[in-house]
Amino acid sequence: MSLNLPQILSPKNSQRIMNAIFVCSGLITVLILIFIIGYILIMGLPVVNLEFIFSNPIDSGRAGGIFPMIISSIYVTLIAGIVSTPLGVGAAVYLVEYAGESKITKIIRFGAETLASIPSIVYGLFGLAFFVVSMGLGWSILSGGLVLAIMALPTIFQVSEVTISSIPSSYREGSYGLGATKWQTIYRVVLPAAIPGIVTGIILGMTRAISEAAAVMFAVGSALSVPISMFDPGRPLPLHLYVLATEGISLENAYGTAAVLVILVLAVTIIANFLIDKYQRQIMGR
Amino acid sequence: MNRIEVNNLNVYFGDSQVLKDININIPKNTVTALIGPSGCGKSTFIRTVNRMNDLIPTFSHDGNVYLDGVDIYNPKMDVVDLRKKIGMVFQKPNPFPKSIFENVAYGLKVHGLNDDDAIAARVEESLKSAALWEEVEDKLEDSAMGLSGGQQQRLCIARTIANNPEVILMDEPCSALDPISTTKIEDLIHKLKNDYTIIIVTHNMQQATRVSKYTSFFLLGELIESDLTDKLFIDPKDKRTEDYITGRFG
């Protein structure tokens, strides 16, 4: 039985309206992105020059550059990546290839989802209590990097898990059928096929890590000098930006810092996507 | 001489019995076709022969499967070695997302061959045996995923041959292919039977008559009848076989 509602719109017209709504949603999304990036760049780029990038801040950042902050950001993000990538990918491989569906896998998955939804300031407090104080790492690049590693972990894990479980089982069968062991199958067939997705997950995790102020503010210290060892304190770009803006030191330089941060994130994302595309074309032949 | 002997094989997935008391001998360097309606256990049977069913947690069996007189389910059996000796070609072509060369070299590499020249020679030889060499010799570094379905299936055969197996299991290798590709694979099977023992599952009875010397008819998990292909299709002993090959069911 069908309901004969009076037809207000012809199917053709309702199709047109829906098309318009979808196109608008897409356009608005892109416009917001362009607006934010454009605004930051317009406000920030005037102060960005080689000197700004390659010199130390003077007078708490009122003048001078942000070189130590760029180094701090790269440093903490690298540590986060080095720690969280093997953990996240390893956990994903375990779940998909070894564990099978069980209570434990459900618990791990639930744990990852919960980790992903914890506010970053809470991670920050945890970092202070655990890494800085309990483990005695002090305010350091290492403490900050470890907090970011825990933060990036669920992203890397979740994206890797989805990717690895979407690798067709026919690849695995083909490999076993040729007498490969489980590990050979994972290492030689499954992971290479999953690399584009896994790298996307790593990039998502790392861009989240490099953009964090709240998570690192209690762990990394607030030094204005270039960190040499990972036990030195540092001040990543977002934290510097936060301090410059909230303490009214220099809004101009805050925008400059933001512009450098945005360019850094964009560059990493664009280069990674380019490499992923290239790899994908190579293995899939199109 | 029999390459494979199966005695009183029963296979279960969980509580349900999928194969019932199978007894069959597969002679060396011949093609044996397995026919029967969907769900009759043909695929399960060949997957028992190279122990692919081990991957399914609910799988269990009793009875014996011998390869050259050795029980393949004995506790000392090395499954890796077994699957090297008993290669498998799947229903849907499943090349790895790697280059054509790497696909064929895969088995060699996982079994520890490191000599690049030896690998290259074996890859060429295998592609020639699989009647694919002339079509791909200029693009060995291209992805195998860019090949046509028929080429992909011959690549999978080449990949299997590279391991120098004794037996090749084929699970409906042409069901996803067009007629021309199918003919090529069938020609290839004729050529390969001189060197390998081949068991082919097929839904296509014409194909069974074209490629095989022996045919076995499976129904509902039982092996109803095994005979010379010419004999089985012309003069089946069992009424059920006759009904199936004359198209009365299935």
Side-chain angles (χ1 to χ4, degrees), chain B residues 181-200:
Chain B
S181 303
T182 300
T183 309
K184 281 187 183 160
I185 303 267
E186 288 181 4
D187 290 345
L188 182 55
I189 292 172
H190 276 295
K191 218 175 74 187
L192 293 174
K193 69 169 182 242
N194 300 320
D195 300 312
Y196 306 95
T197 304
I198 297 173
I199 306 178
I200 178 171

Side-chain angles (χ1 to χ4, degrees), chain A residues 100 167-190 192-194 279-286, chain B residues 47 50 52 55 79-81 83-84 86-88 90 92-98 103 106-107 109-111 141-146 156 159-160 163:
Chain A
I167 300 300
S169 58
S170 63
Y171 292 177
R172 295 180 182 88
E173 284 197 324
S175 175
Y176 289 131
L178 290 166
T181 61
K182 184 159 203 160
W183 169 240
Q184 285 172 329
T185 301
I186 293 169
Y187 169 72
R188 289 176 181 268
V189 178
V190 176
Y279 178 80
Q280 189 101 313
R281 268 199 302 275
Q282 193 193 333
I283 64 167
M284 299 308 284
R286 60 182 90 97
Chain B
R47 282 163 177 263
N50 69 342
M52 280 299 268
L55 301 172
V79 181
V80 163
D81 191 49
R83 296 201 186 122
K84 195 180 150 194
I86 304 185
M88 185 162 198
F90 297 83
K92 211 174 141 242
N94 60 346
F96 303 126
K98 295 175 180 292
N103 263 277
Y106 185 82
K109 288 186 177 174
V110 300
H111 294 298
E141 292 312 313
D142 288 6
S143 170
M145 309 308 269
C156 292
R159 185 171 81 173
T160 306
N163 265 349

Side-chain angles (χ1 to χ4, degrees), chain B residues 1-130:
Chain B
M1 192 189 134
N2 290 326
R3 184 63 96 185
I4 294 174
E5 286 183 34
V6 177
N7 297 335
N8 308 104
L9 175 72
N10 291 293
V11 168
Y12 312 84
F13 290 128
D15 292 334
S16 75
Q17 183 165 7
V18 197
L19 290 177
K20 292 169 197 159
D21 197 31
I22 306 291
N23 288 282
I24 187 173
N25 294 327
I26 310 279
K28 197 177 164 184
N29 293 8
T30 52
V31 180
T32 302
L34 310 182
I35 59 167
S38 298
C40 68
K42 313 175 293 270
S43 294
T44 302
F45 174 74
I46 65 167
R47 282 163 177 263
T48 307
V49 173
N50 69 342
R51 292 187 58 172
M52 280 299 268
N53 283 331
D54 290 16
L55 301 172
I56 300 166
T58 56
F59 167 78
S60 64
H61 84 289
D62 52 55
N64 301 98
V65 181
Y66 297 96
L67 172 68
D68 296 326
V70 179
D71 182 354
I72 64 160
Y73 281 94
N74 84 69
K76 284 190 199 141
M77 187 75 218
D78 179 0
V79 181
V80 163
D81 191 49
L82 174 75
R83 296 201 186 122
K84 195 180 150 194
K85 284 186 191 152
I86 304 185
M88 185 162 198
V89 177
F90 297 83
Q91 185 169 355
K92 211 174 141 242
N94 60 346
F96 303 126
K98 295 175 180 292
S99 71
I100 293 166
F101 184 92
E102 284 299 326
N103 263 277
V104 185
Y106 185 82
L108 305 171
K109 288 186 177 174
V110 300
H111 294 298
L113 186 61
N114 290 321
D115 180 349
D116 286 345
D117 293 337
I119 291 174
R122 190 83 193 109
V123 167
E124 179 174 341
E125 197 184 320
S126 307
L127 285 167
K128 280 178 177 161
S129 302

Side-chain angles (χ1 to χ4, degrees), chain A residues 204-217:
Chain A
L204 279 174
M206 292 305 96
T207 46
R208 190 175 170 204
I210 204 171
S211 319
E212 263 304 323
V216 294
M217 61 197 292

Side-chain angles (χ1 to χ4, degrees), chain A residues 120-138:
Chain A
S120 49
I121 189 78
V122 177
Y123 279 104
L125 269 179
F126 169 78
L128 173 67
F130 188 71
F131 296 123
V132 178
V133 179
S134 291
M135 287 183 68
L137 298 176

